[in-house]
Amino acid sequence: MKDYIEERAVEIANFIIQEKATVRQTAKKFGVSKSTVHKDVTDRLLQFNPELASQARKVLDVNKSERHIRGGLATKEKYLHMVH
């Protein structure tokens, strides 16, 4: 694996852990796709830093379990701001 990919995977994992960031937020911050974020954290990072991968995975799992709540709140906000 290329060095810059390993470095990016570590940076992405650290960002997710520190900011409790979602995949979408992380992808936007690093200018990569959501698929790349997933692949970096679940596959690539696991190969050379399983501990960091595990920590990032925990944050992503929490975010995934809460996404239906965030989606509902976003919809509520949208309709609160609509002009009738």
Side-chain angles (χ1 to χ4, degrees), residues 4 7-8 16 24 26 36 42 53 56-57 63 71 78 84:
Y4 73 91
E7 288 174 22
R8 181 187 67 209
I16 289 170
R24 191 176 294 245
T26 306
T36 301
T42 57
R57 186 80 229 167
N63 287 341
K78 174 183 167 184
H84 296 298

Side-chain angles (χ1 to χ4, degrees), residues 1-9 11:
M1 191 180 328
K2 305 271 188 204
D3 287 342
Y4 73 91
I5 294 175
E6 288 184 10
E7 288 174 22
R8 181 187 67 209
E11 287 179 29

